[in-house]
Amino acid sequence: DIVMTQSPDSLAVSLGERATINCKSSQSLLYSSNNKNYLGWYQQKPGQPPKLLISWASTRESGVLDRFSGSGSGTDFTLTISSLQAEDVAVYYCQQYYTTPPAFGQGTKVEIK
Amino acid sequence: QVQLQQWGAGLLKPSETLSLTCGVYGGSFSGYYWSWIRQPPGKGLEWIGEINHSGGTNYNPSLKSRVTISVDTSKKQFSLILTSVTAADTALYYCARRRVTSTSGGCFDPWGQGTLVTVSS
């Protein structure tokens, strides 16, 4: 099974500053036949289910603000919040869908400094 | 816009059977996998398994011996059965729609509201 590891476990960022979350997979998520990375990012606010933000490592979902961006390829991925807002306080998860079972990272808690 | 609404018993005793159902409203039932995911209190997300509209299933090997997922396409509902529960099965259980890619399953979107299942004697 593929293991997903996020870093850091938590981070505190000042309003308007950049937040960067890393995700590393135990094997490559890049499918050579279509050159796509099978990696998604989710946001979970307290008391709510997770919400899909980004699929294919860097494709923002409809309605997701452009301050959220995803990058990376192979085994190393990053979610960046370019200018942190109060409403971005949440736990963020990466998820691989390269193989079954799909697996999530342990989560990164983002707070306001 | 598709919405998922789930229901089922929230308090179980050890060795009992967990049973949850998820209804799909406002969208197509075919062309997706329909999944169950759980989240122990204060912890991360664990995929339990999934089913498609034809009844094809995939399960997490870690739970496979205790899990059954079934589907009722006429009602646009799918259900989770987890047998012989213990305190380790205490979690928030979510249903979710999973996209299908050309090679495998995809991301989960949307999710149900979640059902807290507590296992306690």
Side-chain angles (χ1 to χ4, degrees):
Chain A
D1 295 358
I2 295 177
V3 177
M4 307 299 292
T5 304
Q6 293 180 226
S7 62
D9 290 333
S10 65
L11 75 161
V13 176
S14 300
L15 286 172
E17 295 299 306
R18 179 185 301 260
T20 301
I21 301 167
N22 300 302
C23 175
K24 189 174 185 67
S25 58
S26 59
Q27 67 184 73
S28 177
L29 305 183
L30 178 62
Y31 200 71
S32 56
S33 66
N34 59 15
N35 202 37
K36 288 189 171 186
N37 287 282
Y38 284 51
L39 188 282
W41 287 99
Y42 298 81
Q43 175 193 64
Q44 186 177 31
K45 295 182 178 180
Q48 296 183 17
K51 172 189 173 184
L52 179 64
L53 295 178
I54 288 171
S55 58
W56 304 115
S58 61
T59 302
R60 263 191 308 273
E61 293 294 306
S62 175
V64 174
L65 298 174
D66 61 5
R67 64 175 180 266
F68 293 93
S69 63
S71 63
S73 184
T75 61
D76 294 279
F77 302 90
T78 300
L79 175 69
T80 301
I81 309 173
S82 61
S83 176
L84 190 74
Q85 303 301 306
E87 60 266 32
D88 301 333
V89 168
V91 179
Y92 293 84
Y93 294 93
C94 60
Q95 177 235 328
Q96 70 83 14
Y97 46 99
Y98 187 88
T99 63
T100 298
F104 296 86
Q106 80 276 17
T108 296
K109 187 174 185 179
V110 175
E111 299 173 308
I112 305 296
K113 185 187 292 182
Chain B
Q1 182 175 352
V2 64
Q3 292 186 327
L4 277 60
Q5 187 169 353
Q6 55 185 104
W7 61 90
L11 182 60
L12 297 172
K13 291 181 168 53
S15 80
E16 291 186 334
T17 296
L18 179 157
S19 178
L20 298 174
T21 297
C22 184
V24 179
Y25 304 94
S28 173
F29 199 67
S30 62
Y32 298 94
Y33 290 118
W34 301 96
S35 295
W36 291 97
I37 297 161
R38 70 180 183 179
Q39 184 173 36
K43 296 189 177 180
L45 299 159
E46 179 182 34
W47 176 77
I48 299 169
E50 65 194 6
I51 192 166
N52 62 22
H53 73 284
S54 302
T57 55
N58 294 302
Y59 297 127
N60 193 321
S62 66
L63 296 167
K64 187 174 183 178
S65 63
R66 298 193 292 130
V67 171
T68 301
I69 297 175
S70 59
V71 66
D72 185 336
T73 53
S74 66
K75 294 182 179 179
K76 294 175 70 174
Q77 295 175 359
F78 61 106
S79 299
L80 169 69
I81 297 289
L82 179 66
T83 60
S84 304
V85 298
T86 70
D89 295 310
T90 293
L92 194 54
Y93 286 75
Y94 292 103
C95 60
R97 184 182 70 177
R98 188 179 185 202
R99 298 171 181 173
V100 175
T101 73
S102 60
T103 55
S104 68
C107 292
F108 300 97
D109 173 61
W111 297 55
Q113 78 276 17
T115 300
L116 179 61
V117 176
T118 302
V119 181
S120 175
S121 55

Coordinates of all heavy atoms in Angstrom, one line a residue, chain A residues 1 31 33-34 38-42 44 47-52 54-56 61 93 95-106, chain B residues 37 39 42-47 50 58-62 92 94 98-114:
Chain A
D1 N 0.8 -1.2 0.0 CA 0.0 0.0 0.0 C 0.9 1.3 0.0 O 2.0 1.3 0.6 CB -0.9 0.0 1.2 CG -1.9 -1.1 1.2 OD1 -1.9 -1.9 0.3 OD2 -2.7 -1.2 2.2
Y31 N 1.5 8.7 -13.4 CA 1.1 7.6 -14.3 C 1.7 8.0 -15.7 O 1.4 9.0 -16.3 CB -0.4 7.5 -14.4 CG -0.9 6.2 -14.9 CD1 -0.7 5.0 -14.2 CD2 -1.4 6.1 -16.2 CE1 -1.2 3.8 -14.7 CE2 -1.9 4.9 -16.7 CZ -1.8 3.8 -15.9 OH -2.2 2.5 -16.4
S33 N 1.5 6.9 -18.7 CA 0.8 6.9 -20.0 C 0.0 8.1 -20.2 O -0.2 8.5 -21.4 CB -0.2 5.7 -20.0 OG -1.2 5.8 -19.0
N34 N -0.3 8.8 -19.2 CA -1.1 10.1 -19.3 C -0.4 11.3 -18.7 O -0.9 12.4 -18.7 CB -2.5 10.0 -18.8 CG -2.6 9.6 -17.3 OD1 -1.6 9.7 -16.6 ND2 -3.7 9.2 -16.9
Y38 N -1.6 11.4 -9.6 CA -2.9 11.0 -9.0 C -3.0 11.4 -7.5 O -2.9 10.6 -6.6 CB -3.1 9.4 -9.1 CG -3.5 9.0 -10.5 CD1 -2.8 9.5 -11.6 CD2 -4.6 8.2 -10.7 CE1 -3.1 9.1 -12.9 CE2 -5.0 7.8 -12.0 CZ -4.2 8.3 -13.1 OH -4.6 7.9 -14.4
L39 N -3.1 12.7 -7.3 CA -3.0 13.3 -6.0 C -4.0 14.4 -5.8 O -4.2 15.3 -6.7 CB -1.6 13.9 -5.8 CG -1.1 14.4 -4.5 CD1 -1.6 15.8 -4.1 CD2 -1.3 13.4 -3.3
G40 N -4.8 14.3 -4.7 CA -5.7 15.3 -4.4 C -5.5 16.0 -3.1 O -4.8 15.5 -2.2
W41 N -6.0 17.2 -2.9 CA -5.9 17.9 -1.6 C -7.3 18.3 -1.1 O -8.2 18.7 -1.9 CB -5.1 19.2 -1.8 CG -3.7 19.1 -2.0 CD1 -3.0 19.1 -3.2 CD2 -2.7 18.9 -1.0 NE1 -1.6 18.9 -2.9 CE2 -1.4 18.8 -1.6 CE3 -2.8 18.9 0.4 CZ2 -0.3 18.7 -0.9 CZ3 -1.6 18.7 1.1 CH2 -0.4 18.6 0.5
Y42 N -7.5 18.2 0.2 CA -8.8 18.4 0.8 C -8.6 19.4 2.0 O -7.6 19.5 2.6 CB -9.4 17.2 1.4 CG -9.7 16.1 0.4 CD1 -8.7 15.3 -0.1 CD2 -11.0 15.9 -0.2 CE1 -9.0 14.3 -1.1 CE2 -11.3 14.9 -1.1 CZ -10.2 14.1 -1.5 OH -10.5 13.2 -2.5
Q44 N -10.6 20.5 5.6 CA -11.6 20.1 6.5 C -11.7 21.1 7.6 O -10.8 21.2 8.4 CB -11.4 18.7 7.1 CG -12.5 18.2 8.0 CD -12.4 16.8 8.5 OE1 -11.3 16.4 8.8 NE2 -13.5 16.1 8.7
G47 N -16.1 20.5 12.4 CA -17.5 20.1 12.3 C -18.0 19.8 10.9 O -19.2 19.7 10.7
Q48 N -17.1 19.9 9.9 CA -17.6 19.7 8.6 C -16.8 18.5 7.9 O -15.7 18.1 8.3 CB -17.3 20.9 7.7 CG -18.0 22.2 8.2 CD -17.7 23.4 7.3 OE1 -17.2 23.2 6.2 NE2 -18.0 24.5 7.8
P49 N -17.4 17.9 6.9 CA -16.7 16.9 6.1 C -15.6 17.5 5.3 O -15.6 18.8 5.1 CB -17.8 16.3 5.2 CG -18.8 17.4 5.0 CD -18.8 18.1 6.3
P50 N -14.6 16.8 4.9 CA -13.6 17.3 4.0 C -14.2 17.8 2.7 O -15.2 17.3 2.2 CB -12.7 16.1 3.7 CG -12.9 15.2 4.9 CD -14.3 15.4 5.2
K51 N -13.6 18.8 2.1 CA -14.0 19.4 0.9 C -12.8 19.3 -0.1 O -11.7 19.7 0.2 CB -14.3 20.9 1.1 CG -14.5 21.7 -0.2 CD -14.7 23.2 0.0 CE -14.7 24.0 -1.2 NZ -14.7 25.5 -0.9
L52 N -13.1 18.8 -1.3 CA -12.0 18.7 -2.3 C -11.6 20.0 -2.8 O -12.5 20.8 -3.3 CB -12.5 17.8 -3.5 CG -11.5 17.6 -4.6 CD1 -10.3 16.8 -4.1 CD2 -12.2 16.8 -5.7
I54 N -8.3 20.4 -4.7 CA -7.4 20.2 -5.9 C -7.4 18.8 -6.2 O -7.3 17.9 -5.4 CB -6.0 20.8 -5.6 CG1 -6.0 22.3 -5.5 CG2 -5.0 20.3 -6.6 CD1 -4.8 22.9 -5.0
S55 N -7.4 18.5 -7.5 CA -7.2 17.1 -8.0 C -6.1 17.1 -9.0 O -5.6 18.2 -9.5 CB -8.5 16.6 -8.7 OG -8.9 17.4 -9.8
W56 N -5.6 16.0 -9.4 CA -4.5 15.8 -10.4 C -3.3 16.7 -9.9 O -2.6 17.3 -10.8 CB -4.9 16.2 -11.8 CG -6.1 15.3 -12.2 CD1 -7.3 15.7 -12.6 CD2 -6.1 13.9 -12.4 NE1 -8.1 14.6 -12.9 CE2 -7.3 13.5 -12.8 CE3 -5.1 12.9 -12.3 CZ2 -7.7 12.2 -13.1 CZ3 -5.4 11.6 -12.5 CH2 -6.7 11.2 -12.9
E61 N -10.5 22.8 -8.1 CA -11.9 22.5 -8.3 C -12.7 23.7 -8.6 O -12.3 24.8 -8.2 CB -12.5 21.7 -7.1 CG -11.8 20.3 -7.0 CD -12.2 19.4 -8.1 OE1 -13.4 19.2 -8.4 OE2 -11.2 18.8 -8.7
Y93 N -5.6 17.8 4.0 CA -5.2 16.4 3.8 C -4.8 16.2 2.3 O -5.5 16.7 1.4 CB -6.3 15.4 4.1 CG -6.7 15.3 5.5 CD1 -7.8 16.1 6.0 CD2 -6.1 14.4 6.4 CE1 -8.2 16.0 7.3 CE2 -6.5 14.3 7.7 CZ -7.5 15.1 8.2 OH -7.9 15.0 9.5
Q95 N -4.3 13.1 -0.6 CA -4.8 11.8 -0.9 C -4.3 11.2 -2.2 O -4.4 11.9 -3.2 CB -6.3 11.8 -0.9 CG -7.0 10.4 -1.2 CD -7.9 10.5 -2.4 OE1 -8.6 11.5 -2.6 NE2 -8.0 9.4 -3.1
Q96 N -3.8 10.0 -2.2 CA -3.4 9.4 -3.4 C -4.5 8.5 -4.0 O -5.2 7.9 -3.2 CB -2.1 8.6 -3.3 CG -2.2 7.3 -2.4 CD -2.7 6.1 -3.2 OE1 -2.7 6.1 -4.5 NE2 -3.1 5.1 -2.6
Y97 N -4.6 8.6 -5.3 CA -5.6 7.7 -6.0 C -5.0 6.9 -7.1 O -5.6 6.5 -8.1 CB -6.9 8.4 -6.4 CG -6.7 9.7 -7.1 CD1 -6.8 9.8 -8.5 CD2 -6.5 10.9 -6.4 CE1 -6.7 11.0 -9.2 CE2 -6.4 12.1 -7.1 CZ -6.5 12.1 -8.5 OH -6.4 13.3 -9.2
Y98 N -3.7 6.7 -7.0 CA -2.9 6.0 -8.0 C -3.2 4.5 -7.9 O -3.3 3.8 -8.9 CB -1.4 6.2 -7.7 CG -0.5 5.6 -8.8 CD1 -0.1 6.3 -9.9 CD2 0.0 4.3 -8.6 CE1 0.7 5.8 -10.8 CE2 0.9 3.8 -9.5 CZ 1.2 4.5 -10.7 OH 2.1 4.0 -11.6
T99 N -3.4 4.0 -6.7 CA -3.7 2.6 -6.5 C -4.8 2.4 -5.4 O -5.1 3.4 -4.6 CB -2.5 1.8 -6.0 OG1 -2.1 2.2 -4.7 CG2 -1.4 1.8 -7.0
T100 N -5.4 1.2 -5.4 CA -6.3 0.9 -4.3 C -5.6 0.1 -3.2 O -4.8 -0.8 -3.6 CB -7.5 0.1 -4.9 OG1 -8.2 0.9 -5.8 CG2 -8.5 -0.4 -3.8
P101 N -5.7 0.4 -1.9 CA -6.6 1.4 -1.4 C -6.1 2.8 -1.5 O -4.9 3.1 -1.3 CB -6.7 0.9 0.1 CG -5.3 0.3 0.4 CD -4.9 -0.3 -0.9
P102 N -7.1 3.7 -1.8 CA -6.7 5.1 -1.7 C -6.3 5.5 -0.3 O -6.8 4.9 0.7 CB -8.0 5.9 -2.1 CG -9.1 4.9 -1.8 CD -8.5 3.5 -2.0
A103 N -5.3 6.4 -0.1 CA -4.8 6.7 1.2 C -4.6 8.2 1.4 O -4.3 8.9 0.4 CB -3.5 6.0 1.4
F104 N -4.9 8.6 2.6 CA -4.7 10.0 3.0 C -3.5 10.2 3.8 O -3.0 9.3 4.5 CB -5.9 10.5 3.8 CG -7.3 10.4 3.1 CD1 -8.0 9.2 3.0 CD2 -7.8 11.5 2.4 CE1 -9.2 9.2 2.3 CE2 -9.0 11.5 1.8 CZ -9.7 10.3 1.7
G105 N -2.9 11.4 3.7 CA -1.9 11.8 4.7 C -2.6 12.0 6.1 O -3.8 12.0 6.2
Q106 N -1.7 12.2 7.1 CA -2.3 12.3 8.4 C -2.9 13.7 8.7 O -3.5 13.9 9.8 CB -1.1 12.1 9.4 CG -0.2 13.2 9.7 CD 0.9 13.4 8.7 OE1 0.9 12.8 7.6 NE2 2.0 14.1 9.1
Chain B
I37 N -15.8 6.2 4.2 CA -14.5 6.6 4.8 C -14.8 6.9 6.3 O -15.9 7.4 6.6 CB -14.0 7.9 4.1 CG1 -13.7 7.6 2.6 CG2 -12.8 8.5 4.8 CD1 -13.7 8.8 1.7
Q39 N -13.2 8.4 10.3 CA -12.3 9.3 10.9 C -12.4 9.1 12.4 O -13.4 9.7 13.0 CB -12.5 10.7 10.5 CG -11.5 11.7 11.0 CD -11.7 13.1 10.4 OE1 -12.9 13.5 10.2 NE2 -10.7 13.8 10.1
G42 N -10.4 13.0 16.4 CA -9.1 13.7 16.5 C -8.0 13.1 15.6 O -6.9 13.5 15.7
K43 N -8.4 12.2 14.7 CA -7.4 11.5 13.9 C -7.7 11.7 12.4 O -8.6 12.5 12.0 CB -7.4 10.0 14.2 CG -6.9 9.8 15.6 CD -6.7 8.3 15.9 CE -6.2 8.1 17.3 NZ -5.9 6.6 17.6
G44 N -7.0 11.0 11.5 CA -7.1 11.2 10.1 C -8.1 10.3 9.5 O -8.9 9.7 10.1
L45 N -8.1 10.2 8.1 CA -9.1 9.6 7.3 C -8.7 8.2 6.8 O -7.5 8.1 6.3 CB -9.4 10.5 6.1 CG -9.9 11.9 6.5 CD1 -9.7 12.9 5.3 CD2 -11.4 11.8 6.8
E46 N -9.6 7.3 7.0 CA -9.3 5.9 6.5 C -10.4 5.5 5.6 O -11.6 5.5 5.9 CB -9.3 4.9 7.7 CG -9.0 3.5 7.3 CD -9.0 2.5 8.5 OE1 -9.7 2.8 9.5 OE2 -8.2 1.6 8.5
W47 N -10.0 5.1 4.4 CA -11.0 4.6 3.4 C -11.4 3.2 3.8 O -10.5 2.3 4.0 CB -10.3 4.6 2.0 CG -11.1 4.0 0.9 CD1 -12.2 4.6 0.3 CD2 -10.9 2.7 0.3 NE1 -12.6 3.8 -0.8 CE2 -11.9 2.6 -0.8 CE3 -10.1 1.7 0.4 CZ2 -12.0 1.5 -1.6 CZ3 -10.1 0.6 -0.4 CH2 -11.1 0.5 -1.4
E50 N -15.8 0.7 -1.3 CA -16.6 1.3 -2.3 C -17.4 0.3 -3.1 O -17.0 -0.9 -3.1 CB -15.8 2.2 -3.2 CG -14.8 1.4 -4.0 CD -13.7 2.2 -4.7 OE1 -13.6 3.5 -4.4 OE2 -12.9 1.7 -5.5
N58 N -14.8 -2.8 -3.9 CA -13.4 -2.8 -3.4 C -13.4 -2.5 -2.0 O -14.1 -1.6 -1.5 CB -12.6 -1.8 -4.2 CG -12.5 -2.0 -5.7 OD1 -12.0 -3.1 -6.1 ND2 -12.9 -1.1 -6.5
Y59 N -12.6 -3.2 -1.2 CA -12.5 -3.0 0.2 C -11.1 -2.8 0.6 O -10.1 -3.3 0.0 CB -13.0 -4.2 1.0 CG -14.5 -4.5 0.7 CD1 -14.9 -5.8 0.3 CD2 -15.5 -3.6 0.9 CE1 -16.2 -6.1 0.1 CE2 -16.8 -3.8 0.7 CZ -17.2 -5.1 0.3 OH -18.5 -5.4 0.1
N60 N -10.9 -2.0 1.7 CA -9.6 -1.9 2.4 C -9.2 -3.3 3.0 O -10.0 -3.8 3.8 CB -9.6 -0.8 3.4 CG -8.3 -0.4 3.9 OD1 -7.4 -1.2 4.0 ND2 -8.1 0.9 4.2
P61 N -8.1 -3.8 2.6 CA -7.6 -5.1 3.1 C -7.7 -5.1 4.6 O -7.9 -6.2 5.2 CB -6.2 -5.3 2.6 CG -6.2 -4.4 1.3 CD -7.1 -3.2 1.6
S62 N -7.4 -4.0 5.3 CA -7.4 -4.0 6.7 C -8.7 -4.2 7.4 O -8.8 -4.6 8.6 CB -6.8 -2.6 7.2 OG -7.7 -1.6 6.9
L92 N -16.1 8.9 13.2 CA -17.1 9.6 12.4 C -17.0 8.9 11.0 O -16.0 8.8 10.4 CB -16.7 11.0 12.3 CG -17.6 12.1 11.7 CD1 -19.0 12.0 12.4 CD2 -17.0 13.5 11.8
Y94 N -18.2 8.6 7.1 CA -18.6 9.5 6.0 C -18.9 8.6 4.8 O -18.2 7.6 4.5 CB -17.6 10.5 5.6 CG -17.3 11.6 6.5 CD1 -16.1 11.5 7.3 CD2 -18.1 12.7 6.7 CE1 -15.8 12.5 8.2 CE2 -17.8 13.7 7.5 CZ -16.6 13.6 8.3 OH -16.3 14.7 9.1
R98 N -17.0 8.9 -5.3 CA -15.7 8.9 -5.8 C -15.7 8.9 -7.3 O -16.4 8.1 -7.9 CB -14.9 7.6 -5.3 CG -13.5 7.6 -5.6 CD -12.8 6.4 -5.1 NE -11.3 6.5 -5.3 CZ -10.5 5.5 -5.4 NH1 -11.0 4.3 -5.2 NH2 -9.2 5.6 -5.6
R99 N -14.9 9.8 -7.8 CA -14.8 9.9 -9.3 C -14.1 8.6 -9.9 O -13.4 8.0 -9.2 CB -14.0 11.1 -9.7 CG -14.7 12.4 -9.2 CD -13.8 13.6 -9.5 NE -14.5 14.8 -9.0 CZ -13.9 16.0 -9.0 NH1 -12.7 16.1 -9.3 NH2 -14.6 17.1 -8.5
V100 N -14.4 8.4 -11.1 CA -13.7 7.3 -11.8 C -12.8 7.9 -12.9 O -13.2 8.7 -13.6 CB -14.8 6.4 -12.5 CG1 -14.1 5.3 -13.3 CG2 -15.7 5.7 -11.5
T101 N -11.5 7.4 -12.9 CA -10.6 7.9 -13.9 C -10.4 6.8 -14.9 O -11.0 5.7 -14.8 CB -9.2 8.2 -13.3 OG1 -8.6 7.0 -12.9 CG2 -9.4 9.0 -12.0
S102 N -9.6 7.0 -15.9 CA -9.4 6.0 -17.0 C -8.6 4.8 -16.5 O -8.6 3.8 -17.1 CB -8.7 6.7 -18.1 OG -7.5 7.2 -17.7
T103 N -8.0 5.0 -15.3 CA -7.1 3.9 -14.8 C -7.5 3.4 -13.5 O -7.1 2.3 -13.1 CB -5.7 4.4 -14.7 OG1 -5.7 5.6 -13.9 CG2 -5.1 4.8 -16.1
S104 N -8.3 4.2 -12.7 CA -8.6 3.8 -11.3 C -9.7 4.7 -10.8 O -10.3 5.5 -11.5 CB -7.3 3.9 -10.4 OG -7.0 5.3 -10.3
G105 N -9.9 4.6 -9.5 CA -10.8 5.5 -8.8 C -10.0 6.9 -8.7 O -8.8 7.0 -8.8
G106 N -10.8 7.9 -8.3 CA -10.3 9.2 -8.2 C -10.5 9.9 -6.9 O -10.5 9.2 -5.9
C107 N -10.8 11.2 -6.9 CA -11.0 11.9 -5.7 C -12.4 11.7 -5.2 O -13.3 11.2 -5.9 CB -10.7 13.4 -5.9 SG -9.0 13.8 -6.2
F108 N -12.6 12.1 -3.9 CA -13.9 12.0 -3.2 C -14.6 13.4 -3.2 O -14.1 14.3 -2.6 CB -13.7 11.5 -1.8 CG -13.0 10.1 -1.8 CD1 -11.7 10.0 -1.6 CD2 -13.8 9.0 -1.9 CE1 -11.1 8.8 -1.5 CE2 -13.2 7.7 -1.9 CZ -11.8 7.6 -1.7
D109 N -15.8 13.5 -3.8 CA -16.5 14.7 -3.9 C -17.9 14.5 -4.4 O -18.0 14.0 -5.6 CB -15.7 15.7 -4.8 CG -16.5 17.0 -5.0 OD1 -16.8 17.7 -4.0 OD2 -16.8 17.3 -6.1
P110 N -18.9 14.8 -3.7 CA -19.0 15.4 -2.4 C -19.0 14.3 -1.3 O -18.9 13.1 -1.6 CB -20.3 16.2 -2.4 CG -21.2 15.3 -3.2 CD -20.3 14.7 -4.3
W111 N -19.1 14.8 -0.1 CA -19.1 13.9 1.1 C -20.5 14.1 1.8 O -21.1 15.2 1.7 CB -18.0 14.3 2.1 CG -16.6 14.1 1.6 CD1 -16.1 14.6 0.4 CD2 -15.6 13.4 2.2 NE1 -14.8 14.3 0.3 CE2 -14.4 13.5 1.4 CE3 -15.5 12.6 3.3 CZ2 -13.2 12.9 1.6 CZ3 -14.3 12.0 3.6 CH2 -13.1 12.1 2.8
G112 N -20.9 13.1 2.5 CA -22.1 13.2 3.4 C -21.7 14.0 4.6 O -20.5 14.3 4.8
Q113 N -22.7 14.2 5.5 CA -22.5 15.0 6.6 C -21.7 14.3 7.8 O -21.2 15.0 8.7 CB -23.8 15.5 7.2 CG -24.6 14.5 8.0 CD -25.5 13.6 7.2 OE1 -25.3 13.4 6.0 NE2 -26.4 12.9 7.8
G114 N -21.6 13.0 7.7 CA -21.0 12.2 8.7 C -21.9 11.7 9.8 O -22.9 12.4 10.1

